[in-house]
Amino acid sequence: MKGQGEHVQYSVFLCQLTEIQQVKLKVSLAELIHHAEDQVMFVKIGPVTKDQLDKRIATVGREFLPRDLTKFIY
């Protein structure tokens, strides 16, 4: 997943992908994972602007601040 999006937590990545990019990523991951043990979950949160980011991602403790917010703004 490294290089595909913002690594926000141990196994959590925030990615902005087109439909084609998502399909390609799923194919790549399907070749790498152990299907009986592993699970990769895709959750669509919709387009993200600064205001929407504040509403869609809530934290307890350290605030989530993407390194480069422009990656997540259309």
Side-chain angles (χ1 to χ4, degrees):
M1 291 297 302
K2 290 182 179 176
Q4 298 297 317
E6 184 79 17
H7 188 196
V8 296
Q9 208 170 37
Y10 174 66
S11 300
V12 179
F13 290 80
L14 181 60
C15 305
Q16 185 174 336
L17 305 171
T18 65
E19 292 297 322
I20 292 171
Q21 290 171 321
Q22 189 177 133
V23 169
K24 288 180 180 180
L25 181 57
K26 287 178 180 180
V27 169
S28 296
L29 291 169
E31 295 171 357
L32 297 173
I33 69 169
H34 298 96
H35 289 263
E37 300 171 18
D38 298 333
Q39 179 185 62
V40 179
M41 184 180 299
F42 287 74
V43 179
K44 291 185 180 184
I45 62 171
V48 178
T49 65
K50 174 62 177 131
D51 293 335
Q52 290 171 332
L53 184 65
D54 292 340
K55 293 176 186 173
R56 294 176 190 249
I57 299 177
T59 60
V60 174
R62 188 175 60 85
E63 180 182 4
F64 169 69
L65 296 171
R67 284 181 236 140
D68 183 0
L69 184 61
T70 60
K71 290 181 188 177
F72 307 108
I73 298 176
Y74 285 115

